[in-house]
Amino acid sequence: MAEPVYLRIADDIRKQITYGLLSANDPLSSEKELCSKYSVSRMTVRKSLSILVDENLLYSVPGKGYFTKKINRDKYLFLFDELDILIGSNKESQLMEVEIIKPTAELIYQLRVSPDKRIVVIKHLLYSDGEIVAYDIKYIPYFTGIPIVEKEINYITFPEIIASRTSIFDVHRKIAISMEIPPDEIINLLNISSLDPVIIIQQHILDQESLPIGFGQLYCHYKKCRIEGVSVIGE
Amino acid sequence: MAEPVYLRIADDIRKQITYGLLSANDPLSSEKELCSKYSVSRMTVRKSLSILVDENLLYSVPGKGYFTKKINRDKYLFLFDELDILIGSNKESQLMEVEIIKPTAELIYQLRVSPDKRIVVIKHLLYSDGEIVAYDIKYIPYFTGIPIVEKEINYITFPEIIASRTSIFDVHRKIAISMEIPPDEIINLLNISSLDPVIIIQQHILDQESLPIGFGQLYCHYKKCRIEGVSVIGE
DNA sequence: TAGTGGTCTAGACCACAAT
DNA sequence: TTGTGGTCTAGACCACTAT
């Protein structure tokens, strides 16, 4: 078998969408009609259609049929890793400090906690070619079992710390990249001028109900950071 | 039917992976064995397994079986739109200039073209709340049929311009975010201090063979840009 | 040779849409 | 009532892997 039948059918339908024979929200022929048209069984047609649904070119409505989707190609898939985004060859992360604090006003807001809740703070310094280029700070509401011993923390990722409380599949993350002139503490740590902005990468870790269970900020020297991604076809 | 059988089976296998009963690269029971275990047909088992393959928890090797995958949760999906990333409420894009030039040394490198090839340059200014906050410049090697009339260009996206030459499904994009102190031309346009870095979002549009067919750079005022994304489970 | 996943057929019943 | 997609069964043949 050179090319599976279901791929040939998927290609055929994809072309009809691509070349504009079908436009947004146009109904497709029914599965049964496509079975006759291509002389295949329903399962084969469904396999073809499922590929196009995965590609976000089609959606189906039970009892009605399949419809074409509007295309938006403005989604990028980014590989985001604290060390990967740093420019340089010798990169390493060093645990700086672990402490337990009472939440500031911002943390009360960001983590939706009460003022008397204790917060675990984990600070890292990130080095590139021997220089400090970034400072990372993570906040997690205290819970029994959370690792607070430095040795334990140094080798696990932010989601892993939190996953010790819940299943790793029940959390998702949001990220935001922006720039600001940082507070003095960061200016000193990164050894930059008081007028230089830094790149801030803000991470929110959320549970299934989208309630925050962790919050982190990475401050990075503006010359030492580069974030890369590739496009995906999306809704 | 409250919950389809294939979802119940997928959940069951997912739990075994999540809770560490199966670790990376462990072989799974064969489809046939799973059919017996859950008393369902092969198609139902395959549907369950295909979900887990889509979730990047499993991979299959023809003739051998299914195996569990190492999890990496460091991929983010970003919605990237030139106007969406600007901070502000009233945002608009204005075509500034279209011209045809001979390529500079950088363009010869970025677009892999010969020095005598003509390049179409499209410049936009991006406004937020009435202020110029970003400057966008796109380079596309000239080809017959490329829109160079201002009216035509103003309302189509970068990939769409290029897709007029090839199918939109044959192109993919790479993006990189970094910061730099920009050249004087940009300093003047954005009306910033000569010491302020800007956010540079670099876009490469590539064809099926990963050869460049378009190159663009967006220079954005560092205070006026914020890029957001959500995590996905990846390989 | 036996076992595996990949592909495919020809049916079936269900819940839901449109009429 | 008819047509639709969603789910599911019980087979089949193929290419590939391991022995």
Side-chain angles (χ1 to χ4, degrees):
Chain A
M1 231 165 304
E3 194 191 22
V5 181
Y6 68 83
L7 282 184
R8 234 208 61 237
I9 298 174
D11 286 344
D12 193 54
I13 299 171
R14 191 187 298 108
K15 270 185 193 138
Q16 294 177 44
I17 301 168
T18 310
Y19 296 151
L21 303 179
L22 290 164
S23 40
N25 296 314
D26 275 359
L28 211 67
S29 311
S30 73
E31 291 180 351
K32 209 176 152 196
E33 286 167 347
L34 292 171
C35 290
S36 316
K37 176 175 177 187
Y38 295 106
S39 305
V40 293
S41 76
R42 195 167 156 224
M43 191 205 129
T44 304
V45 162
R46 282 179 64 78
K47 178 93 180 168
S48 305
L49 293 174
S50 77
I51 289 172
L52 300 172
V53 169
D54 285 347
E55 289 177 6
N56 258 306
L57 295 176
L58 293 180
Y59 64 97
S60 63
V61 181
K64 295 184 76 176
Y66 285 84
F67 301 88
T68 55
K69 261 188 142 168
K70 211 170 67 223
I71 303 167
N72 175 343
R73 293 179 57 79
D74 285 337
K75 278 186 185 162
Y76 284 88
L77 195 61
F78 279 78
L79 188 72
F80 174 73
D81 182 286
E82 279 158 15
L83 290 176
D84 268 0
I85 63 171
L86 300 181
I87 296 169
S89 44
N90 277 313
K91 299 176 280 189
E92 55 179 331
S93 161
Q94 194 181 89
L95 183 65
M96 186 181 155
E97 189 182 9
V98 181
E99 53 177 339
I100 297 179
I101 61 163
K102 292 196 171 190
T104 60
E106 197 198 347
L107 287 177
I108 291 170
Y109 167 71
Q110 294 285 5
L111 292 171
R112 312 278 193 282
V113 291
S114 73
D116 55 324
K117 178 86 185 171
R118 298 302 180 94
I119 308 292
V120 177
V121 185
I122 302 168
K123 298 174 184 172
H124 281 93
L125 287 175
L126 308 187
Y127 292 80
S128 172
D129 300 322
E131 258 183 292
I132 297 177
V133 293
Y135 170 64
D136 178 67
I137 185 159
K138 297 174 168 66
Y139 304 94
I140 306 160
Y142 183 86
F143 58 90
T144 47
I146 188 171
I148 47 172
V149 182
E150 305 207 349
K151 261 192 186 166
E152 292 176 31
I153 287 175
N154 221 356
Y155 298 101
I156 52 179
T157 68
F158 196 11
E160 279 169 348
I161 293 172
I162 283 169
S164 59
R165 195 183 63 162
T166 177
S167 162
I168 200 165
F169 295 99
D170 295 339
V171 306
H172 63 279
R173 298 191 284 169
K174 274 193 187 168
I175 198 171
I177 302 164
S178 59
M179 288 189 63
E180 264 175 43
I181 296 190
D184 288 345
E185 183 198 357
I186 313 257
I187 290 173
N188 295 332
L189 273 170
L190 297 183
N191 193 28
I192 56 177
S193 136
S194 62
L195 288 173
D196 272 351
V198 296
I199 295 186
I200 299 182
I201 297 174
Q202 218 174 48
Q203 265 193 72
H204 286 269
I205 303 211
L206 308 166
D207 67 11
Q208 278 180 305
E209 281 86 34
S210 287
L211 294 172
I213 49 181
F215 172 64
Q217 276 189 302
L218 175 75
Y219 299 87
C220 184
H221 191 295
Y222 80 82
K223 285 179 186 163
K224 301 296 184 179
C225 176
R226 184 181 166 87
I227 302 156
E228 297 184 345
V230 295
S231 66
V232 294
I233 299 177
E235 178 192 352
Chain B
M1 232 167 304
E3 193 192 22
V5 180
Y6 68 84
L7 281 184
R8 232 207 62 237
I9 297 173
D11 286 344
D12 193 53
I13 299 172
R14 190 186 298 106
K15 269 185 194 137
Q16 293 178 44
I17 301 168
T18 311
Y19 295 148
L21 302 180
L22 289 165
S23 39
N25 296 314
D26 275 359
L28 212 68
S29 311
S30 73
E31 292 181 351
K32 208 177 152 194
E33 286 167 349
L34 292 171
C35 290
S36 314
K37 177 175 177 187
Y38 295 107
S39 305
V40 293
S41 75
R42 193 165 156 228
M43 190 206 131
T44 304
V45 162
R46 281 180 64 79
K47 178 95 179 168
S48 304
L49 294 174
S50 77
I51 289 172
L52 301 173
V53 169
D54 285 347
E55 289 177 6
N56 257 306
L57 294 177
L58 292 180
Y59 64 97
S60 63
V61 181
K64 295 183 76 174
Y66 286 83
F67 301 87
T68 55
K69 261 190 145 169
K70 212 170 68 224
I71 303 166
N72 175 346
R73 294 179 55 82
D74 284 337
K75 279 186 185 162
Y76 284 88
L77 195 61
F78 280 78
L79 188 73
F80 174 72
D81 182 285
E82 280 157 15
L83 290 175
D84 268 0
I85 62 171
L86 300 180
I87 297 168
S89 43
N90 277 312
K91 299 177 281 189
E92 54 179 332
S93 161
Q94 195 182 87
L95 183 65
M96 186 182 153
E97 190 181 9
V98 181
E99 52 177 338
I100 297 179
I101 61 163
K102 292 198 172 189
T104 61
E106 197 198 347
L107 287 177
I108 291 170
Y109 167 71
Q110 294 285 5
L111 292 171
R112 311 276 193 286
V113 291
S114 72
D116 55 324
K117 179 87 184 171
R118 300 302 180 93
I119 308 292
V120 178
V121 185
I122 302 168
K123 298 175 184 174
H124 281 92
L125 287 174
L126 308 187
Y127 293 80
S128 172
D129 301 322
E131 257 183 291
I132 297 177
V133 293
Y135 170 64
D136 179 65
I137 185 159
K138 297 174 168 70
Y139 304 93
I140 306 161
Y142 181 85
F143 58 89
T144 46
I146 188 171
I148 49 171
V149 182
E150 305 206 348
K151 261 191 185 164
E152 292 175 29
I153 287 174
N154 222 356
Y155 298 103
I156 52 180
T157 68
F158 196 12
E160 278 168 349
I161 294 174
I162 284 168
S164 60
R165 195 183 63 161
T166 178
S167 161
I168 200 164
F169 294 99
D170 295 337
V171 305
H172 64 281
R173 297 193 284 169
K174 275 194 186 167
I175 200 172
I177 302 164
S178 59
M179 288 188 63
E180 266 176 41
I181 295 191
D184 288 345
E185 183 198 355
I186 313 249
I187 290 173
N188 295 331
L189 273 170
L190 297 183
N191 194 28
I192 56 177
S193 136
S194 62
L195 288 172
D196 271 353
V198 295
I199 295 186
I200 299 182
I201 297 174
Q202 217 173 51
Q203 264 192 71
H204 287 268
I205 303 212
L206 308 166
D207 67 12
Q208 277 180 304
E209 281 86 33
S210 287
L211 294 172
I213 48 180
F215 172 64
Q217 277 189 301
L218 176 76
Y219 300 86
C220 184
H221 191 294
Y222 80 81
K223 285 180 185 160
K224 301 297 184 178
C225 177
R226 184 180 165 87
I227 303 156
E228 297 185 343
V230 296
S231 65
V232 293
I233 298 176
E235 178 190 352

